[in-house]
Amino acid sequence: MTIAHALQDLRASTSRLSEAVTELVMIAHEDRPDGSETAAVDHFAEQVSELQSSVVIAHHELSRIDGPKRLADRMGLVDEAIAAAALLYWRDLRSYDATSAMRQAARRGGQDWRSWQVSIEQSQHRCEQPLLDATTAARAVWVELAELVSLWLAHPPPVPVPDPSPTTDAGVPAAENTRRST
């Protein structure tokens, strides 16, 4: 694989992740049933917004990469955003505690709440594979960068050697016997 292909895969997987998270945001915020302004549901909706924020940051940083030189500068930020999204997803949305809190709230709220909660869980599941793909693609980019660095270390690019001869103000080499004007 080349860096260009790895970056292309990362962009594609991050776009799929963005689409899946956008669907989850729509369900969590706009499809909420009436009277669902409880602490558990509000906390969940806030965590979904945080997940979306991390994915947007990753997508934004990827859009700023216009070549291999910028990739090395930006990849840390992209990876950090994807890792933050993964942490939020697994710890704050899909963990036992988070799922249990949402199910308890749905049971207390009635049939509309239960239907909404099932939609939430289905949408969460649709986020899982794109998140795993984005994480894998980010690792592939790192591997390609590491291989490139090892090549640079084995065969460093030539460094231009400055000409040690003195020059005049016009940039023309000065002769050694040139005298200063007084």
Side-chain angles (χ1 to χ4, degrees):
M1 182 180 284
T2 64
I3 286 183
H5 285 103
L7 184 58
Q8 182 180 8
D9 288 348
L10 179 57
R11 284 186 170 133
S13 62
T14 303
S15 289
R16 287 189 302 275
L17 176 60
S18 180
E19 290 169 7
V21 169
T22 299
E23 174 193 306
L24 180 61
V25 168
M26 296 290 285
I27 293 170
H29 289 282
E30 295 183 16
D31 293 346
R32 285 170 69 161
D34 293 333
S36 63
E37 291 77 23
T38 65
V41 174
D42 287 344
H43 178 72
F44 176 81
E46 184 178 312
Q47 296 307 314
V48 168
S49 294
E50 290 293 323
L51 173 66
Q52 184 183 35
S53 174
S54 294
V55 172
V56 166
I57 290 170
H59 192 68
H60 174 72
E61 290 301 330
L62 275 170
S63 71
R64 296 181 68 191
I65 298 172
D66 56 1
K69 291 179 184 178
R70 298 291 297 176
L71 179 61
D73 294 339
R74 294 270 169 234
M75 192 55 206
L77 300 171
V78 172
D79 192 44
E80 184 179 317
I82 291 172
L87 179 64
L88 282 163
Y89 179 77
W90 292 111
R91 182 190 65 197
D92 298 332
L93 299 175
R94 290 289 305 279
S95 68
Y96 175 80
D97 290 339
T99 302
S100 174
M102 284 297 291
R103 287 179 179 173
Q104 286 176 3
R107 270 188 237 113
R108 287 191 300 261
Q111 184 59 36
D112 287 346
W113 281 41
R114 181 70 183 135
S115 297
W116 174 73
Q117 186 265 326
V118 168
S119 302
I120 288 286
E121 285 188 17
Q122 290 171 345
S123 184
Q124 285 176 319
H125 287 286
R126 286 189 290 274
C127 292
E128 184 174 333
Q129 192 59 51
L131 182 59
L132 294 172
D133 292 345
T135 302
T136 301
R139 296 301 173 256
V141 171
W142 280 120
V143 167
E144 292 302 320
L145 280 173
E147 288 178 8
L148 189 57
V149 167
S150 68
L151 289 174
W152 283 339
L153 291 175
H155 306 288
V159 178
V161 179
D163 185 14
S165 63
T167 60
T168 63
D169 289 339
V172 178
E176 288 184 26
N177 61 359
T178 304
R179 300 182 88 183
R180 268 197 220 174
S181 61
T182 56

